[in-house]
């Protein structure tokens, strides 16, 4: 499964979690008062205890989101969901501690913890889901805008003598591979896959490829991630990128470049 999008690791999404989660919890519990929370939180002191519980949530989320922001974690969407669950569990421990010590509830601590977890899970599942969906939508539209901007540009290929040989749109290029003193450019024209042999080196094309969205997947290959359908592993453990060309195309992907290409396919 692919890693979470980069937008999930930026500062602004962490700040939104820090603000939205306690505010939403306060508003939700104040309006709906689920599971007899009014009696549990002290009746006429309901608003006071709810405010304090919301402040505890704020401090807990600040700590967890700072950890997530600064730690060099590489997690997929499943693990991110578990991280959010862990935040709720972590917060529930401190909210339950407040209920148990300050409200003097005649119950074991872990029963107070279970009640706290019930309240927090019910209330916070909505803002977590909304924030995650919003970030995914933002990431999608941002990537679409970048792709549209790049599609208006042209890739100009020069040979080793700096003579212009071929001009292509980035989306027309499938992949580029090196072969001794030449590079082979595979692209689509009028619905057919064509090959252009250019006397140049991969090193000379590095900047051009990176500026137009092609990424290295092997020491001798650059591939256009927009044409990659799926990454497959054969019986010997070698990974290949299968392209959406009219002809069968399988590009080798080495371990060194696998993570970056997989991230581009989210």
């Amino acid at each position: 499964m692919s890693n979470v999008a980069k937008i999930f690791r930026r500062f602004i999404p962490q700040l939104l979690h820090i603000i939205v989660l306690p505010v939403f919890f306060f508003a939700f519990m104040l309006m709906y008062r689920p599971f007899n929370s009014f009696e549990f939180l002290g009746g006429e002191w309901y608003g006071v205890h709810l405010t304090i519980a919301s402040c505890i949530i704020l401090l807990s989320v600040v700590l967890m989101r700072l950890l997530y922001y600064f730690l060099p974690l590489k997690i997929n969407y499943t693990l991110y969901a578990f991280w959010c669950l862990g935040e709720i569990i972590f917060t529930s421990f401190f909210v339950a501690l407040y209920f148990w010590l300050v409200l003097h509830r005649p119950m074991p601590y872990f029963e107070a913890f279970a009640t706290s977890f019930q309240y927090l899970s019910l209330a916070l599942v909505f803002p977590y889901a909304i924030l995650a969906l919003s970030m995914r939508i933002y990431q999608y539209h941002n990537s679409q805008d970048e792709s549209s901007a790049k599609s208006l540009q042209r890739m100009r290929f020069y040979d080793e003598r700096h003579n212009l040989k071929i001009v292509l749109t980035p989306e027309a290029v499938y992949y580029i591979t090196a072969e001794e003193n030449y590079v082979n450019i595979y692209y689509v024209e009028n619905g057919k896959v064509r090959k252009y042999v250019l006397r140049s080196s991969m090193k000379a094309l590095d900047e051009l490829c990176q500026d137009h969205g092609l990424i290295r997947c092997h020491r001798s290959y650059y591939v256009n991630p927009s044409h990659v359908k799926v990454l497959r592993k054969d019986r010997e453990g070698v990974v290949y990128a299968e392209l959406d060309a009219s002809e069968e195309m399988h590009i080798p992907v080495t371990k060194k470049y696998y993570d970056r290409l997989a991230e581009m396919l989210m």
Side-chain angles (χ1 to χ4, degrees):
M1 183 176 291
S2 58
N3 293 335
V4 294
K6 291 181 180 180
I7 184 67
F8 283 72
R9 299 303 306 270
R10 294 177 183 172
F11 177 75
I12 294 301
Q14 314 316 318
L15 184 62
L16 287 175
H17 279 81
I18 291 170
I19 295 173
V20 171
L21 293 178
V23 171
F24 188 92
F25 175 81
F26 180 85
F28 180 85
M29 296 295 291
L30 188 65
M31 293 175 59
Y32 295 101
R33 303 180 181 184
F35 302 122
N36 298 319
S37 60
F38 183 77
E39 291 77 11
F40 184 81
L41 289 177
E44 60 182 6
W45 293 95
Y46 182 82
V48 175
H49 296 307
L50 181 60
T51 301
I52 296 174
S54 299
C55 291
I56 295 173
I57 295 172
L58 173 64
L59 295 175
S60 300
V61 175
V62 166
L63 178 60
M64 293 296 290
R65 283 289 148 178
L66 286 176
L67 285 174
Y68 180 73
Y69 180 71
F70 287 108
L71 289 178
L73 300 174
K74 286 187 178 181
I75 60 177
N76 56 37
Y77 287 98
T78 300
L79 293 178
Y80 179 77
F82 278 107
W83 178 277
C84 296
L85 178 62
E87 286 184 348
I88 296 176
I89 294 173
F90 178 78
T91 306
S92 298
F93 274 113
F94 294 100
V95 173
L97 191 63
Y98 172 78
F99 290 162
W100 191 57
L101 293 178
V102 177
L103 299 185
H104 303 290
R105 288 289 175 253
M107 62 175 63
Y109 168 76
F110 284 102
E111 186 175 337
F113 167 77
T115 302
S116 302
F117 180 74
Q118 184 181 43
Y119 293 158
L120 266 66
S121 299
L122 176 66
L124 298 184
V125 66
F126 300 109
Y128 270 119
I130 292 171
L131 287 169
L133 182 60
S134 300
M135 287 186 285
R136 285 290 288 165
I137 293 174
Y138 175 85
Q139 179 73 13
Y140 173 78
H141 285 294
N142 190 49
S143 63
Q144 290 294 105
D145 291 341
E146 290 179 355
S147 298
S148 298
K150 288 177 180 177
S151 67
L152 298 176
Q153 302 173 4
R154 296 291 187 271
M155 297 183 71
R156 291 172 169 80
F157 293 91
Y158 295 84
D159 65 11
E160 59 182 10
R161 296 181 179 179
H162 303 289
N163 297 317
L164 181 61
K165 291 298 182 179
I166 186 171
V167 179
L168 299 169
T169 58
E171 68 271 15
V173 179
Y174 281 111
Y175 70 96
I176 300 172
T177 181
E179 186 177 350
E180 297 181 352
N181 297 325
Y182 297 86
V183 294
N184 300 315
I185 305 168
Y186 290 84
Y187 63 99
V188 61
E189 184 179 53
N190 298 325
K192 295 182 179 181
V193 177
R194 302 186 184 278
K195 172 184 174 182
Y196 187 87
V197 180
L198 178 71
R199 189 172 181 86
S200 183
S201 65
M202 290 293 279
K203 185 176 181 180
L205 299 180
D206 279 345
E207 185 176 352
L208 178 68
C209 291
Q210 293 172 11
D211 289 346
H212 291 84
L214 275 70
I215 64 173
R216 189 182 288 274
C217 62
H218 184 278
R219 184 171 59 89
S220 302
Y221 286 84
Y222 266 99
V223 67
N224 189 338
S226 65
H227 287 299
V228 177
K229 290 195 302 183
V230 68
L231 298 177
R232 298 189 185 277
K233 183 182 294 186
D234 64 13
R235 295 180 181 179
E236 298 179 355
V238 179
V239 178
Y240 290 91
E242 182 179 326
L243 306 187
D244 59 357
S246 57
E247 301 176 8
E248 187 172 324
M249 288 185 176
H250 297 88
I251 311 304
V253 180
T254 57
K255 185 177 181 180
K256 180 179 179 180
Y257 302 106
Y258 174 83
D259 289 341
R260 186 184 177 196
L261 181 57
E263 184 179 349
M264 297 288 291
L265 302 182
M266 293 185 303

